[in-house]
Amino acid sequence: KEPSGSPSADSIKITKEVANAFVKRQKRSTLYFEYYKSPLEQMHERCENYPPCDYLSDQIGFSMAYNRFFG
């Protein structure tokens, strides 16, 4: 400890293994999928947000309904 009573920087250091035990990094691949959706997922959301397309997709299928309204 320093004369003022606070610990010095040298006494606070911990090993890399100990630090990694409680600090977990997120993987890049999971971040990529959170920010970017596949084109098919974007198309599904577009159809779901438009009630006539959403209703028709239940009747005749997604691809035909999407092509009718947005194709």
Side-chain angles (χ1 to χ4, degrees), residues 2 12-13 23 33 38 45 48:
E2 292 182 8
I12 296 176
K13 293 182 181 176
V23 177
F33 289 114
S38 70
E45 287 184 357
E48 288 172 355

Side-chain angles (χ1 to χ4, degrees), residues 18-31:
V18 173
N20 286 337
F22 63 90
V23 177
K24 298 290 181 189
R25 250 180 61 185
Q26 290 184 337
K27 302 214 183 282
R28 289 182 188 260
S29 62
T30 58
L31 291 175

Side-chain angles (χ1 to χ4, degrees), residues 47-59 65 69-70:
C47 188
E48 288 172 355
N49 290 333
Y50 186 58
C53 183
D54 189 33
Y55 176 77
L56 193 59
S57 70
D58 290 338
Q59 306 302 316
F69 290 102
F70 304 109

Side-chain angles (χ1 to χ4, degrees), residues 1-12:
K1 291 185 177 184
E2 292 182 8
S4 63
S6 63
S8 66
D10 292 334
S11 66
I12 296 176

